[in-house]
């Protein structure tokens, strides 16, 4: 039986059986105290020297796998207020000495990531991550979206050539996908509203607390939807993710020492929308930062701006020259695009990037050429604007950035089981 079930359902004095691993162990002359963990929780097990299991219990190590039977009794000192007085111990694997004992340095834990996944901290994060992906599927499917997959091997770039991972594809060169978007823009002419949850690759050389070289992106592409409609879907998605964690993962947030109150405003309040130009004004007036119009917002500026808010902020109408080639020019001001970044508070920065898509095929070709790309290589993409083109919009949300924020993590690396950065690719 799972430990959480034992704690929830069982009364004092009841006989219970649990399976798990030794999380902590303390050996005395006449007693062995083992804190046992399983997927959900921990419970203390006490082996007394008058029980047949005592000899085996004395040999237990950290991470030994075991099955224990015993009586559940109240114990104020034990974690969760209960302990099991063992009557039977089945050691499934005594194991070797567990390497993670004293050294908890970041590098050591990263080298032993495969073992560190067993920690209460990683267990809590990975469960929250699973809640978030579950909420994403529910949210989109609840709104009539279909899931759509595009290839990981792609023949062109989309978000800038400098961050492409090249792969040898027989005697040709291909790239690992930077985004699902271009094939998805073809997909909407069949399925209209589509989404994906997919690995994404960026040869991002900078080592920061918000960049991975392999991350998971949630992307949506929607036929007929205008810029404002897209912003609404994006806001709804973030609210759904945070709400799901608040509903399902109180215990995990507690393990992480994350105050749920920091997340509650996101569910309750409408996200403020400000234009890029307004953002510059706020930065000047309230943060004493003078940024030249036309420059992209850097991490420091995003952080300063977001120190004024407790919910994500949607920054819109960025200068055309700092945004991707596919973003629609604003009819009212050709210098800006109908593109937006959703910035999260608490130093997280951009969690979503989205836009209405440019429908003018000549403008797309021109901007591709300006980037040094040959429009001929984008033939399939340009076809999406030739046969029944309709207004459409979409966005991408970085899963690890959202999980980092929800969990209150210092570094994005802890938001994924096996992180990939320029100098972290093992295990
Ligand atoms: O803003 P980006 O580059 O947008 C796109 O790729 C669009 N094609 C999406 C779309 O409209 N379908 O990336 C989207 C999000 C960012 O807001 C960020 O959260 C995340 O992906 N992201 C990263 N996360 C971790 N590590 C990196 N190196 C990331 N690069 C982007
Ligand atoms: Mg972006």
């Amino acid at each position: 039986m799972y430990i959480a079930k034992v704690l929830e359902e069982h009364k004092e004095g009841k006989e219970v059986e649990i399976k798990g691993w030794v999380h902590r162990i303390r050996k005395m002359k006449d007693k062995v105290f083992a804190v046992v963990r399983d997927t959900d929780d921990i419970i203390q097990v006490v082996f007394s020297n008058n029980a047949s299991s005592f000899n085996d219990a004395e040999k237990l190590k950290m991470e030994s796998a075991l099955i224990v039977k015993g009586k559940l009794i109240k114990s104020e000192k034990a974690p969760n207020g209960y302990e099991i007085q063992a009557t039977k111990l089945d050691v499934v694997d005594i194991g070797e000495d567990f390497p993670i004992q004293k050294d908890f340095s970041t590098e050591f834990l990263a080298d032993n990531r495969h073992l560190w996944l067993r920690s209460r901290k990683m267990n809590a994060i990975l469960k929250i991550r699973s809640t978030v992906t579950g909420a994403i599927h529910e949210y989109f499917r609840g709104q009539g979206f279909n899931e759509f997959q595009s290839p990981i091997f792609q023949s062109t770039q989309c978000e800038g050539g400098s961050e492409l991972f090249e792969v040898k594809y027989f005697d040709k060169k291909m790239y690992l996908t930077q985004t699902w978007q271009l094939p998805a823009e073809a997909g909407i002419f069949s399925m209209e509203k589509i989404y994906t949850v997919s690995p994404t690759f960026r040869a991002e050389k900078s080592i920061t607390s918000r960049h991975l070289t392999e991350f998971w992106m949630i992307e949506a592409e929607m036929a007929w939807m205008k810029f404002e409609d897209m912003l609404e879907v994006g806001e709804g998605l973030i609210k759904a993710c945070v709400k799901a964690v608040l509903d399902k993962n109180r215990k995990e947030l507690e393990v992480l020492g994350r105050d749920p109150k920091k997340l509650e405003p996101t569910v309750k309040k409408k996200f403020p929308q400000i234009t890029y130009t307004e953002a510059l004004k706020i930065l000047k007036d309230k943060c004493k930062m003078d940024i030249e119009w036309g420059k992209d917002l850097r991490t420091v500026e995003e952080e300063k701006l977001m120190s004024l808010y407790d919910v994500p902020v949607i920054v819109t109408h960025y200068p055309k020259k700092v945004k991707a080639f596919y973003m629609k020019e604003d009819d009212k001001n050709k210098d800006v695009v109908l593109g937006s970044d959703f910035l999260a508070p608490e130093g997280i920065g951009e969690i979503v990037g989205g836009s209405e898509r440019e429908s003018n095929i000549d403008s797309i070709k021109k901007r591709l050429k300006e980037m040094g790309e040959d429009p001929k290589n984008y033939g399939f993409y340009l076809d999406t604007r030739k046969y029944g083109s309709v207004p459409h919009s979409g966005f991408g949300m970085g899963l690890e950035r959202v999980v980092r924020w929800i969990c209150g993590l210092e570094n994005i690396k802890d938001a994924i089981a096996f992180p990939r950065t320029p100098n972290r690719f093992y295990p």
Side-chain angles (χ1 to χ4, degrees):
M1 182 178 270
Y2 289 114
I3 294 170
K5 262 242 151 77
V6 168
L7 291 167
E8 239 169 66
E9 291 179 4
H10 278 264
K11 303 244 158 44
E12 208 177 345
K14 278 266 175 186
E15 180 87 356
V16 296
E17 183 185 278
I18 57 158
K19 286 184 199 153
W21 294 264
V22 175
H23 184 56
R24 283 197 296 267
I25 187 144
R26 196 153 50 93
K27 295 171 185 171
M28 323 273 270
K29 235 199 204 133
D30 55 346
K31 276 194 175 124
V32 172
F33 295 92
V35 174
V36 175
R37 61 164 188 89
D38 71 3
T39 172
D40 295 317
D41 223 317
I42 53 177
I43 194 164
Q44 177 162 293
V45 183
V46 186
F47 302 92
S48 303
N49 65 354
N50 56 2
S52 61
S53 55
F54 187 72
N55 282 351
D56 287 340
E58 277 200 303
K59 293 181 200 123
L60 287 173
K61 299 176 179 187
M62 252 181 82
E63 293 303 319
S64 295
L66 44 75
I67 302 172
V68 179
K69 245 191 197 153
K71 214 190 259 178
L72 188 72
I73 61 153
K74 276 212 171 91
S75 161
E76 271 182 22
K77 281 189 204 140
N80 293 320
Y82 280 92
E83 66 185 24
I84 296 172
Q85 290 188 336
T87 50
K88 188 164 180 280
L89 167 64
D90 178 4
V91 181
V92 179
D93 178 33
I94 190 85
E96 299 180 23
D97 290 341
F98 196 61
I100 305 175
Q101 300 263 2
K102 290 199 190 79
D103 187 351
F104 286 92
S105 70
T106 316
E107 275 309 287
F108 183 77
L109 295 182
D111 288 340
N112 288 283
R113 187 70 164 192
H114 53 300
L115 303 176
W116 184 239
L117 294 183
R118 303 173 183 207
S119 61
R120 299 304 294 158
K121 177 182 172 183
M122 285 310 301
N123 171 281
I125 296 167
L126 294 173
K127 278 195 174 161
I128 288 173
R129 183 180 164 111
S130 171
T131 298
V132 170
T133 49
I136 288 163
H137 287 288
E138 258 173 47
Y139 175 78
F140 281 121
R141 285 163 188 258
Q143 298 199 14
F145 280 71
N146 281 293
E147 192 175 357
F148 175 82
Q149 284 97 12
S150 74
I152 297 290
F153 284 130
Q154 296 207 4
S155 53
T156 64
Q157 60 124 320
C158 177
E159 299 295 333
S162 63
E163 292 170 6
L164 280 173
F165 273 113
E166 249 179 60
V167 279
K168 196 168 165 288
Y169 191 78
F170 304 107
D171 57 349
K172 291 186 186 62
K173 194 167 74 177
M174 286 197 88
Y175 309 103
L176 296 181
T177 183
Q178 274 186 317
T179 167
W180 155 99
Q181 184 185 324
L182 300 192
E185 283 190 59
I188 56 157
F189 290 91
S190 166
M191 305 172 63
E192 298 199 21
K193 290 202 295 184
I194 54 180
Y195 80 100
T196 199
V197 179
S198 167
T200 307
F201 304 87
R202 305 244 169 129
E204 197 92 55
K205 283 209 193 75
S206 47
I207 313 258
T208 74
S209 57
R210 49 164 93 170
H211 290 96
L212 294 165
T213 52
E214 176 175 337
F215 62 98
W216 284 65
M217 185 146 57
I218 290 77
E219 292 186 80
E221 198 65 36
M222 301 157 288
W224 310 105
M225 289 222 180
K226 307 287 273 182
F227 185 55
E228 296 74 19
D229 306 321
M230 179 276 295
L231 298 181
E232 215 165 283
V233 178
E235 177 169 345
L237 176 66
I238 294 170
K239 284 184 153 69
C241 293
V242 172
K243 184 173 183 306
V245 173
L246 289 173
D247 287 348
K248 295 178 185 159
N249 296 104
R250 292 281 166 166
K251 201 159 79 184
E252 285 73 23
L253 292 171
E254 200 185 316
V255 168
L256 297 170
R258 176 67 165 147
D259 184 358
K261 286 204 182 71
K262 295 248 180 194
L263 298 169
E264 279 159 10
T266 292
V267 179
K268 290 185 194 138
K269 288 195 212 167
K270 175 108 186 88
F271 298 173
Q273 289 186 14
I274 56 175
T275 64
Y276 163 88
T277 306
E278 283 162 352
L280 294 197
K281 187 162 183 330
I282 294 170
L283 281 167
K284 191 168 181 192
D285 294 348
K286 298 203 175 151
C287 311
K288 309 214 162 11
M289 289 177 119
D290 206 355
I291 296 124
E292 190 188 326
W293 197 97
K295 290 242 159 77
D296 204 0
L297 295 182
R298 294 172 305 164
T299 302
V300 271
E301 287 128 18
E302 284 183 359
E303 274 179 13
K304 267 278 185 263
L305 180 68
M306 289 312 295
S307 66
L308 306 170
Y309 300 92
D310 62 353
V311 298
V313 172
I314 305 175
V315 182
T316 64
H317 300 83
Y318 278 83
K320 190 164 72 184
K321 59 184 177 193
V322 303
K323 287 293 180 196
F325 74 91
Y326 52 74
M327 293 195 181
K328 188 175 173 62
E329 278 175 11
D330 185 2
D331 289 336
K332 294 183 214 98
N333 176 1
K334 295 282 180 201
D335 291 331
V336 302
V337 284
L338 298 180
S340 64
D341 283 355
F342 290 46
L343 308 180
E346 300 180 75
I348 299 295
E350 182 191 340
I351 50 174
V352 169
S355 73
E356 185 166 334
R357 312 313 189 188
E358 183 55 77
S359 48
N360 183 321
I361 197 165
D362 294 324
S363 167
I364 296 176
K365 282 186 191 162
K366 183 166 161 261
R367 282 159 79 187
L368 278 170
K369 279 187 205 146
E370 280 165 8
M371 282 198 319
E373 292 290 310
D374 184 350
K376 277 203 203 81
N377 296 335
Y378 291 77
F380 88 91
Y381 183 68
L382 297 172
D383 275 358
T384 60
R385 308 302 200 260
K386 287 185 187 165
Y387 312 105
S389 180
V390 291
H392 62 285
S393 304
F395 64 85
M397 179 174 90
L399 177 61
E400 289 75 13
R401 291 200 183 169
V402 170
V403 171
R404 177 187 171 205
W405 168 50
I406 291 177
C407 294
L409 306 174
E410 260 174 43
N411 195 296
I412 194 167
K413 283 193 274 187
D414 276 337
I416 185 164
F418 293 102
R420 296 288 179 254
T421 67
N423 49 21
R424 172 58 59 191
F425 35 86
Y426 176 90

